Amino acid sequence: MTATLIWILVVLVAIGVYLSWTAGRLDRLHVRMDAARAALDAQLLRRASVAQELATSGVLDPAASIVLYEAAHAARQAEEEHREVAESELSQALRAVFEDPAQVEAVRAAPGGEEAARELAEAVRRVPMARRFHNDAVGAARRLREHRKVRWFRLAGHAPFPLAFEMDDEPPAALVERAP
């Protein structure tokens, strides 16, 4: 009888350690996901800021400046539930403004334009990477949260279910092709 109680106690301790390890892993995934979201937010803000700065610099023609400024402003001011749409619209505005390689060359030829074009090219290249890192972290957390043991023992606590950030992040080809 004593041996049976010892084995039951050993099994319960092993289950407790395993569940604790799983909860710790889930917590680390949530921390990684939060860090990736912060990096994504920083890259999106940088892209919108550079686009807004370029739109107000006087380097672009007035119509392109207005389109780019409004899209960048909307992306910076968007509420969380409308952010993906606003960021996608900024991507579309960037592609519309910089679809013509001549427009990119005109920006580069203006005083300070080479630096502005390089900074914008860097910003639009970093957004897809940051989004991919964020969505990878979200996917890993979701896969773990879907396990029965996590749901049955409520190892995720009260953390909201992770959501991927889906947006159109294709950069303007004419801008990134010739970036130094």
Side-chain angles (χ1 to χ4, degrees), residues 12 65 130 144 171:
L12 289 175
S65 292
L144 184 58

Side-chain angles (χ1 to χ4, degrees), residues 63-78:
S65 292
I66 290 171
V67 167
L68 195 56
Y69 180 83
E70 286 179 356
H73 181 71
R76 290 183 71 177
Q77 301 297 323

Side-chain angles (χ1 to χ4, degrees), residues 1-18:
M1 172 132 158
T2 307
T4 305
L5 287 176
I6 291 174
W7 279 111
I8 290 173
L9 184 62
V10 166
V11 168
L12 289 175
V13 167
I15 290 172
V17 167
Y18 177 71

Side-chain angles (χ1 to χ4, degrees), residues 99-117:
E99 71 182 340
D100 184 14
Q103 178 78 327
V104 176
E105 291 307 318
V107 169
R108 290 184 192 280
E114 186 69 35
E115 176 66 24

Side-chain angles (χ1 to χ4, degrees), residues 39-175:
L40 174 61
D41 287 341
Q43 291 304 322
L44 291 172
L45 180 62
R46 180 172 182 245
R47 180 181 76 153
S49 297
V50 171
Q52 209 168 19
E53 185 179 314
L54 187 60
T56 59
S57 68
V59 174
L60 300 172
D61 64 85
S65 292
I66 290 171
V67 167
L68 195 56
Y69 180 83
E70 286 179 356
H73 181 71
R76 290 183 71 177
Q77 301 297 323
E79 305 250 343
E80 192 59 36
E81 59 269 5
H82 303 292
R83 184 115 187 255
E84 293 172 347
V85 172
E87 294 294 345
S88 293
E89 288 173 354
L90 177 56
S91 295
Q92 293 165 2
L94 285 165
R95 283 196 306 273
V97 169
F98 294 108
E99 71 182 340
D100 184 14
Q103 178 78 327
V104 176
E105 291 307 318
V107 169
R108 290 184 192 280
E114 186 69 35
E115 176 66 24
R118 185 187 59 74
E119 193 172 347
L120 183 61
E122 282 180 19
V124 298
R125 269 195 303 243
R126 289 181 180 177
V127 166
M129 286 188 297
R131 188 175 73 84
R132 192 168 30 255
F133 289 141
H134 174 264
N135 288 349
D136 287 348
V138 166
R142 286 177 112 170
R143 282 189 296 278
L144 184 58
R145 285 183 69 153
E146 289 170 353
H147 285 236
R148 272 185 250 146
K149 65 183 175 251
V150 173
R151 285 179 295 158
W152 287 351
F153 292 103
R154 299 180 188 224
L155 298 180
H158 297 289
F161 194 73
L163 298 173
F165 194 86
E166 296 300 331
M167 64 170 273
D168 173 9
D169 59 5
E170 184 182 336
L175 185 64

